[in-house]
């Protein structure tokens, strides 16, 4: 697409002959080129093109996002600082932390273990997370994709810190819970309005439980699946995330009942 803008110059000016930029997160690049003619008028050609894809078939935008620690799903519920993930595997563990009823809050790339890691001259990455549990314990967590070093946990213990490695096999073993967590966290930025929340909680108090399909009919002010997911993530209601993938027949109960 080319578009020309013409005008009249009253004084001689110097114009850069080429100026280009890439707009993020758009996948287009724009090139501005000086097109002055002999009559004193000038023009700028604006040309928009698509950015090339990378070798894996994803756009350049997706490559930048991956390099910046952004992995799907993007939303979090109990992460107390800006989220950052080294890999999709660490993002998956973040999903599991968000739906762990014993986790009060968690953070990415926490401070606090630097001295312990210096003691053993650790050359690996810093901890991926620090999770705060309902019993008050704060645990530093390394996601172990290919290496587990007990010396790290020992060094942390010497400084009265809790630390553990979580291996890929442990994360992948929670297949139903992990997929359910991914699905729910697509709605992490939604908030269920008071009216819908009260209607559902009142119905569950009266009936004891209801299926997902029955719960969806209660919502009036927000998209039903977004509203129900928000209530699950924020622990107003609960479903069994381990029994299977969430379906119309999945049983919903008030949280803690």
């Amino acid at each position: 697409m080319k578009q020309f803008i013409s005008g009249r110059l009253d004084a001689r000016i110097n114009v850069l002959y080429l100026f280009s930029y890439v707009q993020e997160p758009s996948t287009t690049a724009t090139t501005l080129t000086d097109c002055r003619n002999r009559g004193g008028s000038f023009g700028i050609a604006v040309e928009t093109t698509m950015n090339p894809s990378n070798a894996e078939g994803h756009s350049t935008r997706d490559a930048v996002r991956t390099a910046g620690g952004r992995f799907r799903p993007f939303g979090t519920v109990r992460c107390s600082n800006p989220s950052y993930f080294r890999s999709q595997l660490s993002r998956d563990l973040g999903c599991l932390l968000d739906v762990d009823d014993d986790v009060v809050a968690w953070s990415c790339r926490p401070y606090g273990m630097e001295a312990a890691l210096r003691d053993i001259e650790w050359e690996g990455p810093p901890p991926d997370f620090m999770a705060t549990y309902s019993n008050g314990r704060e645990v530093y967590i390394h996601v172990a994709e290919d290496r587990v070093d007990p010396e790290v946990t020992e060094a942390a213990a010497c400084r009265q810190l809790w630390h553990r490695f979580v291996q890929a096999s442990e994360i992948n073993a929670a297949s139903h819970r992990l997929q359910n967590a991914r699905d729910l966290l697509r709605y992490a930025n939604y908030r269920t309005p008071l009216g819908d929340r009260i209607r559902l909680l009142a119905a569950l108090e009266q009936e004891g439980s209801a299926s997902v399909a029955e719960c969806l009919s209660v919502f009036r002010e927000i998209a039903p699946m977004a509203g129900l997911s928000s209530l699950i993530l924020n622990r107003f209601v609960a479903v069994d995330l381990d029994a299977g993938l969430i379906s119309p027949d999945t049983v919903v109960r008030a949280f803690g009942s």
Side-chain angles (χ1 to χ4, degrees):
M1 177 186 72
K2 288 193 175 181
Q3 183 179 15
F4 289 88
I5 306 172
S6 297
R8 184 74 180 175
L9 290 180
D10 296 326
R12 183 173 181 177
I13 62 173
N14 293 322
V15 180
L16 290 175
Y17 282 96
L18 179 64
F19 171 76
S20 64
Y21 71 96
V22 176
Q23 184 178 358
E24 174 64 33
S26 172
T27 58
T28 60
T30 304
T31 302
L32 306 184
T33 306
D34 177 27
C35 301
R36 275 184 298 176
N37 59 30
R38 298 177 180 176
S41 62
F42 74 99
I44 299 176
V46 183
E47 185 173 359
T48 302
T49 58
M50 296 296 296
N51 285 332
S53 297
N54 61 25
E56 297 177 346
H58 302 295
S59 68
T60 303
R61 174 185 61 180
D62 293 332
V64 171
R65 174 177 294 146
T66 300
R70 294 271 288 169
F71 296 89
R72 295 182 184 277
F74 299 145
T76 62
V77 177
R78 290 176 182 81
C79 184
S80 58
N81 64 348
S83 59
Y84 184 95
F85 306 101
R86 285 192 295 121
S87 64
Q88 185 64 57
L89 189 64
S90 64
R91 177 64 190 107
D92 289 344
L93 181 57
C95 292
L96 294 176
L97 291 175
D98 258 337
V99 297
D100 186 338
D101 293 344
D102 292 328
V103 173
V104 177
W106 55 279
S107 60
C108 296
R109 308 185 81 180
Y111 296 102
M113 271 196 65
E114 294 81 5
L117 296 178
R118 282 197 302 268
D119 290 344
I120 61 172
E121 298 181 351
W122 170 253
E123 296 181 356
D128 293 277
F129 309 113
M130 184 181 72
T132 303
Y133 290 86
S134 55
N135 60 6
R137 181 175 296 175
E138 294 181 337
V139 181
Y140 291 90
I141 301 173
H142 268 104
V143 176
E145 300 186 28
D146 55 8
R147 179 185 177 189
V148 174
D149 190 344
E151 192 177 7
V152 176
T153 302
E154 182 180 350
C158 290
R159 290 182 173 269
Q160 299 183 336
L161 301 173
W162 293 93
H163 173 272
R164 66 182 292 240
F165 283 98
V166 177
Q167 294 183 279
S169 57
E170 183 178 348
I171 296 172
N172 294 328
S175 57
H176 289 318
R177 173 172 286 265
L178 178 57
Q179 186 57 55
N180 285 330
R182 288 170 178 166
D183 291 340
L184 291 170
L185 285 167
R186 291 181 57 212
Y187 304 99
N189 294 324
Y190 286 83
R191 291 295 178 269
T192 304
L194 177 62
D196 283 346
R197 186 171 80 231
I198 293 299
R199 273 188 288 273
L200 181 57
L201 293 177
L204 293 177
E205 182 178 355
Q206 180 177 351
E207 300 296 332
S209 65
S211 68
V212 166
E214 292 169 334
C215 291
L216 296 182
S217 64
V218 171
F219 293 91
R220 301 286 185 272
E221 305 172 49
I222 190 174
M225 200 64 238
L228 180 59
S229 297
S230 174
L231 292 178
I232 295 172
L233 290 170
N234 289 283
R235 298 176 181 170
F236 289 99
V237 301
V239 298
D240 189 342
L241 299 177
D242 299 304
L245 298 181
I246 296 174
S247 70
D249 296 327
T250 299
V251 176
V252 181
R253 294 184 173 87
F255 185 83
S257 62

